[in-house]
């Protein structure tokens, strides 16, 4: 479970985001962090039953302020990623824990490189039916809704702006997000709920992994 102390601590940190206050309350934070890390690792163990998780990374609370206008030294949330086994499995998972009902999970492709983005777009140009079937599946759409993230206003270079799949082709990111309230996060079954949502994303990951490990003729690139 996510410890109930998590949200009150971050709310206090939001009002006292400075090194003196944090250092005075560091033992409290470390105790909470240890429990949260256990929760992330427990979720990772659940996920290994249905996916190959190569790495779990729980991000540090310290902000990198070197190139940011925001000079507050500490994050007021926990974040952690779950990386799938590369190169054959693509896509990633993320769990974000933040007070005031701002917790969420996210999956998909945040910043596909130039080559992968072109390959995905060419697949949609050739045949978007399988992707449509995934997005229109009742359980999938009830869990995740539709894509979020950046997209072009028009067709990318070399693609027809009148193509029937242009809504997919012009996407720059392929992300799904599911939000949670503070009450949701603190419930006993929260990690199981997150795991079930991650199971639901699997048809999308299987499809994208197949696309990104083959050429347009369906021949393996591995």
């Amino acid at each position: 479970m996510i410890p109930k102390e998590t949200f009150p601590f971050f709310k206090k940190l939001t009002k006292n985001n400075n090194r003196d206050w944090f250092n005075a309350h560091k033992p409290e934070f470390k105790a909470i962090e240890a429990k949260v890390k256990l929760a992330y690792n427990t979720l990772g163990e659940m996920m290994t039953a249905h996916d190959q998780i190569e790495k779990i990374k729980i991000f540090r609370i310290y902000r990198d302020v070197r190139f940011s206008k925001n000079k507050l030294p500490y994050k007021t949330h926990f974040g952690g990623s779950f990386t799938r086994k590369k190169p054959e499995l693509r896509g990633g998972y993320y769990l974000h824990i933040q007070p005031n009902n701002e917790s969420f999970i996210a999956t998909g492709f945040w910043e596909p490189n130039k080559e992968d983005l072109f390959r995905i777009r060419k697949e949609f140009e050739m045949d978007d039916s399988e992707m449509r079937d995934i997005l229109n599946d009742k359980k999938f759409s009830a869990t995740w809704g539709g894509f979020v993230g950046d997209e072009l206003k028009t067709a990318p270079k070399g693609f027809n702006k009148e193509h029937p799949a242009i809504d997919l082709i012009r996407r720059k990111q392929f992300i799904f997000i599911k939000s949670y309230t503070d009450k949701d996060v603190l419930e006993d079954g929260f990690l199981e709920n997150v795991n079930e949502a991650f199971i639901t994303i699997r048809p999308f990951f299987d499809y994208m992994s197949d696309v990104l490990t083959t050429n347009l003729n369906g021949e393996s690139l591995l």
Side-chain angles (χ1 to χ4, degrees):
M1 289 180 61
I2 303 299
K4 64 180 184 303
E5 303 88 10
T6 303
F7 293 144
F9 179 85
F10 278 136
K11 288 177 180 179
K12 289 185 288 184
L13 178 58
T14 298
K15 296 177 180 179
N16 302 277
N17 201 326
N18 61 77
R19 289 176 177 82
D20 289 342
W21 186 91
F22 184 80
N23 287 336
H25 294 81
K26 195 168 185 178
E28 180 185 356
F29 170 74
K30 297 303 288 186
I32 294 170
E33 183 185 45
K35 294 178 183 178
V36 170
K37 285 183 175 180
L38 178 60
Y40 274 80
N41 285 314
T42 299
L43 176 60
E45 290 174 6
M46 292 180 186
M47 294 168 67
T48 60
H50 58 85
D51 205 346
Q52 297 181 61
I53 303 301
E54 192 171 58
K55 181 180 179 183
I56 301 174
K57 181 177 181 181
I58 301 168
F59 301 108
R60 302 175 72 214
I61 195 170
Y62 306 99
R63 295 185 64 254
D64 184 352
V65 300
R66 292 173 299 172
F67 309 106
S68 174
K69 291 181 180 180
N70 182 353
K71 298 301 181 182
L72 294 175
Y74 305 106
K75 301 171 186 174
T76 53
H77 65 267
F78 284 113
S81 62
F82 304 81
T83 303
R84 305 182 79 214
K85 186 176 181 294
K86 299 292 188 296
E88 61 269 35
L89 303 180
R90 301 298 183 89
Y93 307 90
Y94 176 77
L95 169 60
H96 185 97
I97 303 298
Q98 185 171 349
N100 302 316
N101 304 315
E102 294 189 35
S103 298
F104 64 89
I105 55 175
T107 61
F109 298 79
W110 283 261
E111 294 181 345
N113 63 43
K114 182 179 179 181
E115 293 76 18
D116 283 354
L117 185 56
F118 181 75
R119 174 68 182 87
I120 293 167
R121 285 169 169 167
K122 292 300 289 184
E123 186 72 23
F124 292 155
E125 181 183 52
M126 186 170 62
D127 180 13
D128 66 332
S129 61
E130 191 170 352
M131 185 74 259
R132 301 289 186 191
D133 288 344
I134 293 168
L135 294 173
N136 292 330
D137 177 82
K138 288 184 178 179
K139 185 175 181 180
F140 187 97
S141 60
T143 302
W144 293 104
F147 283 126
V148 298
D150 296 339
E151 61 182 8
L152 298 173
K153 292 182 178 180
T154 186
K157 185 177 180 180
F159 291 86
N160 180 3
K161 65 179 181 180
E162 303 299 331
H163 193 282
I166 194 60
D167 60 315
L168 297 174
I169 292 170
R170 71 186 182 204
R171 298 209 63 84
K172 297 167 63 178
Q173 296 177 310
F174 302 91
I175 303 169
F176 297 96
I177 292 177
K178 177 177 171 62
S179 298
Y180 290 93
T181 66
D182 293 358
K183 181 176 180 293
D184 293 334
V185 173
L186 298 179
E187 288 180 345
D188 289 347
F190 173 65
L191 296 181
E192 288 79 5
N193 184 288
V194 170
N195 186 52
E196 284 297 319
F198 285 159
I199 290 173
T200 306
I201 204 70
R202 187 60 178 274
F204 171 69
F205 276 174
D206 288 347
Y207 169 81
M208 294 292 262
S209 295
D210 182 60
V211 168
L212 293 173
T213 58
T214 60
N215 62 24
L216 286 170
N217 292 320
E219 299 165 332
S220 176
L221 300 173
L222 301 179

